[in-house]
Amino acid sequence: MTLRFIGTTSDDGDCPTLYDIEDTDEILVQGERETNPEHLAQLRDVKGSETFVRVPRSLLTRYAPRNDAPELQPFAAISHLFSDFKHTAWRLETRRGYASDRNSPKWPRFLAGEDIARGPDNAWRDNVRAQTTQGKRFERVRLVDDPPTQGQEFLLASAPSNISAGEDIRYLTRTQSQGLRLPEYDFWLFDSKVLARFAFDDEDTTLGVYVSQDPAEVLAACQARDAAWHHAVRTEDFARRVRSTV
């Protein structure tokens, strides 16, 4: 079963952290092991398989679930949000590849070494241009491995089309992401209010999204956005860095 990072109050590598155990109704708590013999003597109904950890109250207060777990919805269910948002649509991309990219007509051209930086407008770019003309922002941070995967190279090569439409796309290494304790799942965050977290199968195909306005989940996404955006570099700078290592 997969663990999903919920949030932490850690500083400088301290450990208090919460994880959701996906496909269950359980939470995994990470903290300092309780060793005080007086405390241990007061615990009740202890099984041999159980252990006990200490976590700050603020961790539970900040990230305790407040709403029922959201249900998986088709991605089309959030299509209206890409025009209805008021200020910012922000995306974190964490995967090493996407089935939608491999199924794109640009994929074989990319494999053949053709330039895919520019292309005709489509519905996505038309909407980006329409929204950014109104002063709204489309922003995303893409995590990249060292060396980049083929899927990550494809996205870097094709990024100029989206950037010319008005997106601000930036890049962050996976090592940096791990140091910042960013989530390991993709999401869109709209106006710091609505979170749409992606679900994928083992073949990188989008299964749908979990949509939430739970304050704890939205706060965690906002914190991830702020940390990622601070450290990420613009596409043109990252592309030069990649070319210099080839």
Side-chain angles (χ1 to χ4, degrees):
M1 288 177 285
T2 302
L3 293 181
R4 179 175 67 86
F5 173 77
I6 295 177
T8 182
T9 53
S10 296
D11 293 314
D12 301 323
D14 292 342
C15 61
T17 305
L18 292 179
Y19 301 88
D20 174 56
I21 306 177
E22 294 193 339
D23 301 321
T24 76
D25 60 355
E26 296 179 322
I27 299 294
L28 179 65
V29 181
Q30 175 186 345
E32 292 290 337
R33 186 187 301 273
E34 177 59 87
T35 59
N36 186 309
E38 294 183 5
H39 293 172
L40 294 174
Q42 297 175 57
L43 297 172
R44 298 182 296 175
D45 303 323
V46 178
K47 296 188 296 185
S49 60
E50 293 179 330
T51 189
F52 307 93
V53 299
R54 305 168 70 120
V55 296
R57 188 181 298 275
S58 60
L59 178 68
L60 302 180
T61 301
R62 184 180 301 178
Y63 296 108
R66 292 171 173 82
N67 299 320
D68 293 336
E71 295 183 357
L72 186 65
Q73 303 181 42
F75 184 76
I78 67 167
S79 60
H80 66 97
L81 293 174
F82 293 98
S83 57
D84 291 350
F85 75 98
K86 303 300 183 183
H87 308 291
T88 306
W90 195 91
R91 170 77 184 269
L92 178 67
E93 296 182 8
T94 68
R95 299 185 70 82
R96 293 172 171 85
Y98 296 87
S100 58
D101 292 335
R102 296 192 293 271
N103 294 329
S104 165
K106 291 195 297 184
W107 183 259
R109 293 173 50 213
F110 164 72
L111 295 181
E114 296 182 27
D115 183 0
I116 61 170
R118 304 292 174 183
D121 277 345
N122 55 23
W124 174 264
R125 288 191 284 274
D126 286 342
N127 181 62
V128 169
R129 187 171 288 108
Q131 303 309 317
T132 54
T133 298
Q134 300 176 46
K136 303 179 187 180
R137 302 198 309 272
F138 271 95
E139 301 170 342
R140 66 175 86 205
V141 168
R142 290 172 169 164
L143 303 190
V144 184
D145 292 274
D146 185 16
T149 66
Q150 195 172 54
Q152 292 163 353
E153 290 177 338
F154 172 83
L155 287 173
L156 182 61
S158 59
S161 293
N162 284 29
I163 293 171
S164 64
E167 285 196 53
D168 190 343
I169 304 176
R170 304 190 183 189
Y171 288 79
L172 188 70
T173 67
R174 194 170 301 277
T175 299
Q176 287 177 295
S177 169
Q178 291 167 344
L180 295 169
R181 303 178 67 87
L182 296 185
E184 297 179 352
Y185 53 83
D186 284 36
F187 65 81
W188 276 102
L189 179 64
F190 300 94
D191 293 333
S192 301
K193 293 180 179 179
V194 180
L195 174 68
R197 177 169 57 86
F198 283 75
F200 294 92
D201 66 15
D202 292 338
E203 301 300 321
D204 305 314
T205 299
T206 302
L207 299 176
V209 289
Y210 296 98
V211 181
S212 175
Q213 297 187 59
D214 183 281
E217 289 198 273
V218 171
L219 172 61
C222 290
Q223 291 173 329
R225 175 201 60 200
D226 292 348
W229 198 248
H230 178 76
H231 292 275
V233 299
R234 294 183 181 277
T235 297
E236 57 269 27
D237 296 329
F238 189 80
R240 281 196 296 268
R241 183 186 305 177
V242 171
R243 285 195 296 268
S244 69
T245 62
V246 175

